[in-house]
Amino acid sequence: MNVRACAAQVIYQVLEQGRSLTDALAAAPNKLDNPKDKGLLAELSYGALRWLPQLDCLAQPCIAKPLKGRHRVLHHLILVGIYQLKHTRIPAHAAVSETVAASRQLNGKAFSGMINAVLRTIQRQADEPSSWPAPTVEYAHPNWLIKALQQDYPEQWQAILAGNNERAPMWLRVNQRLQTTAGYQHELEQAEIAAQTADAGPDALLLAQPTDVTRLPGYDQGWFAVQDLAAQQAAHLLPKGKQLKVLDVCAAPGGKTCHWQEANDNQLAMTAIDIDAGRLARVQQNLQRLQLDATVLTGDASTTDWWDGELFDAILLDAPCSATGVIRRHPDIKWLRSKADIDALAKLQSQILRNIWQMLKPQGILLYATCSVLSVENRLQISDFLQSQADARLVPINPDESIEMPGWQILPGQQQMDGFYYARLQKLDKS
Ligand SMILES: C[S@@+](CC[C@H](N)C(=O)[O-])C[C@H]1O[C@@H](n2cnc3c(N)ncnc32)[C@H](O)[C@@H]1O
């Protein structure tokens, strides 16, 4: 299948069927006429979802009768066409002719003249309208999220929205048991792949260009993992020590499980649980590839069904969240999440946190993490916990933290990191 037709189908699956972009893209490459188009497929699908309201706004005045039902995919194809014209260096004539050709593969032969006319009209228009009709179009975010960010970040909301619309960089985490960071940087140099180290992460390398992992040296040998620098902070905020009995809650696909073990020379007595057995298979694969060990259990963290009653020295709770900190990596989140989801997630986070707390030893540390930027999932959640849980105390990560303003909120784009939140808590002895 033509790559534009494939991208239109991916977008259709996300917007009309609620499938995640990651899942839709993972299934799509076998359909491509040319497997080398995998990168372009991702670029078109990401780009169209990133700029969706603006592309729609440009398309709508040119479409006399909305494309609905089984022809809806042709609307998404038009957006793919406009995205190429406005956001890529693909020559306009190729963008238009290939997009029109794709319409035939999507049973849209009868509409190919109309699609050609729409794209030609947009090609002739000036670069961008001088103003967009509404904030949701201007910032390419849903209204509820713009409002939530305005409320939480009166000074920074526009920078956060802009950061969300950036392309995400590719960070690697070097497996220190098998390679040093400098040693692996040298291996990359030998392969003519440029990468730089980071002050905020001793194990991290930032690639100058995102690259297919299979092109990077030592993937099969487990020399590195792909992991954003913000996610790499967890292992450094968690306790270290041989034979500590530790729990990683909501662990799949195991990025932080593996890093925590790497930072402790694989000596932690680690249990990793997740509710999703399919995603847990990826934890096993990652442990195996990186040459690490953990006991992996399927379990619902809001219950105790899977727990043998033994207390843990330390717990990482990477809670299920809105993922509003990683929109630059998953632009579909903007269109798949709703305000009601956030309320339900905040409730679930509180339930899991309170349930897991009983599994922590006195003096033990719990690190709460989310890849969200919304205070209801982060600061407010932890502040509420600290105020209601007599045996919990805040162990500040940064000196300016307080019970009212606990934790470390990383905003998307800060030091090229994803948006993330961490709060460190300690259980007090019973008095
Ligand atoms: C943010 S992801 C975890 C990422 C992971 N910690 C890592 O670093 O690779 C959140 C995980 O929570 C899991 N999850 C959601 N609800 C859960 C529940 N009630 N109990 C256990 N796991 C849950 C999801 O399946 C998902 O894998």
Side-chain angles (χ1 to χ4, degrees):
M1 184 177 257
N2 167 319
V3 60
R4 278 106 181 146
C6 227
Q9 282 192 337
V10 165
I11 297 161
Y12 179 88
Q13 286 169 22
V14 171
L15 297 178
E16 311 298 326
Q17 297 173 338
R19 196 170 185 194
S20 79
L21 176 57
T22 307
D23 284 356
L25 271 179
N30 344 344
K31 291 192 196 160
L32 285 171
D33 292 336
N34 183 352
K36 286 195 181 139
D37 281 340
K38 209 172 124 186
L40 180 57
L41 172 64
E43 163 69 19
L44 299 177
S45 311
Y46 268 81
L49 288 168
R50 193 167 278 141
W51 296 109
L52 184 72
Q54 294 188 1
L55 303 174
D56 254 332
C57 181
L58 293 169
Q60 258 151 22
C62 310
I63 300 174
K65 200 167 156 236
L67 291 153
K68 288 192 179 151
R70 67 195 176 90
H71 296 310
R72 189 69 189 154
V73 69
L74 297 171
H75 179 81
H76 303 312
L77 179 65
I78 292 172
L79 303 188
V80 169
I82 302 174
Y83 175 72
Q84 293 168 78
L85 293 172
K86 296 290 176 191
H87 293 274
T88 72
R89 291 203 206 129
I90 298 169
H93 63 86
V96 175
S97 65
E98 289 293 315
T99 306
V100 171
S103 68
R104 296 191 197 101
Q105 292 189 350
L106 295 170
N107 299 324
K109 204 168 164 210
F111 296 89
S112 56
M114 180 274 268
I115 293 173
N116 186 48
V118 170
L119 296 180
R120 294 267 175 232
T121 306
I122 287 171
Q123 187 191 342
R124 283 192 296 270
Q125 285 169 357
D127 266 2
E128 226 177 60
S130 53
S131 68
W132 296 101
T136 187
V137 186
E138 180 177 354
Y139 299 110
H141 275 69
N143 243 329
W144 70 265
L145 184 51
I146 298 175
K147 290 208 169 108
L149 291 171
Q150 282 171 334
Q151 195 180 341
D152 284 351
Y153 303 95
E155 308 287 327
Q156 293 146 303
W157 63 273
Q158 279 164 308
I160 297 172
L161 295 172
N164 289 347
N165 287 336
E166 294 286 325
R167 287 181 169 85
M170 185 166 172
W171 285 100
L172 304 183
R173 183 190 81 230
V174 180
N175 183 353
Q176 301 294 327
R177 297 184 67 232
L178 306 178
Q179 278 281 346
T180 62
T181 308
Y184 189 63
Q185 190 181 24
H186 182 68
E187 294 285 346
L188 289 172
E189 260 167 39
Q190 300 287 303
E192 296 186 355
I193 296 168
Q196 66 185 65
T197 53
D199 293 341
D203 314 325
L205 286 173
L206 176 64
L207 296 187
Q209 289 290 328
T211 307
D212 194 330
V213 274
T214 55
R215 273 202 58 224
L216 301 174
Y219 181 76
D220 290 335
Q221 295 98 307
W223 289 357
F224 71 92
V226 177
Q227 188 180 42
D228 189 86
L229 180 58
Q232 292 188 37
Q233 303 303 322
H236 302 300
L237 298 173
L238 282 158
K240 293 195 172 60
K242 296 206 163 122
Q243 307 307 331
L244 283 182
K245 183 174 165 60
V246 304
L247 174 67
D248 184 358
V249 185
C250 305
K256 297 182 193 72
T257 318
C258 293
H259 194 197
W260 198 4
Q261 268 298 29
E262 286 166 14
N264 287 278
D265 200 19
N266 199 30
Q267 298 290 312
L268 299 171
M270 165 94 75
T271 303
I273 79 138
D274 199 282
I275 201 167
D276 184 332
R279 282 169 64 85
L280 272 177
R282 293 188 49 211
V283 180
Q284 297 281 21
Q285 286 159 12
N286 283 325
L287 285 165
Q288 202 175 5
R289 188 178 67 80
L290 296 163
Q291 303 175 31
L292 300 164
D293 300 296
T295 303
V296 175
L297 298 178
T298 309
D300 180 345
S302 65
T303 73
T304 51
D305 300 351
W306 47 274
W307 184 42
D308 63 7
E310 279 198 42
L311 299 174
F312 294 94
D313 296 302
I315 297 178
L316 167 61
L317 167 53
D318 192 9
C321 73
S322 62
T324 42
V326 292
I327 284 175
R328 62 187 193 155
R329 294 192 187 281
H330 303 281
D332 51 324
I333 286 167
K334 295 193 282 192
W335 319 118
L336 295 179
R337 291 264 186 285
S338 68
K339 171 83 181 69
D341 293 336
I342 309 302
D343 300 339
L345 280 163
K347 223 179 200 176
L348 176 64
Q349 289 153 0
S350 166
Q351 226 178 332
I352 294 179
L353 176 56
R354 282 162 209 282
N355 183 49
I356 293 298
W357 190 251
Q358 64 181 308
M359 302 176 188
L360 186 62
K361 276 185 193 164
Q363 299 294 318
I365 292 284
L366 183 146
L367 184 70
Y368 176 86
T370 73
C371 56
S372 166
V373 289
L374 300 177
S375 60
V376 66
E377 300 177 85
N378 297 342
R379 290 208 161 117
L380 294 175
Q381 182 74 260
I382 296 303
S383 181
D384 184 48
F385 182 74
L386 285 165
Q387 287 177 57
S388 60
Q389 192 75 34
D391 61 351
R393 95 172 171 100
L394 179 68
V395 183
I397 297 165
N398 295 305
D400 58 352
E401 289 178 44
S402 63
I403 292 180
E404 292 75 32
M405 291 289 279
W408 178 25
Q409 179 69 68
I410 304 169
L411 297 179
Q414 271 179 358
Q415 295 182 66
Q416 306 216 45
M417 290 192 266
D418 284 343
F420 240 85
Y421 176 80
Y422 290 107
R424 198 163 45 186
L425 310 174
Q426 186 174 39
K427 194 174 212 176
L428 300 172
D429 286 322
K430 281 202 184 97
S431 52

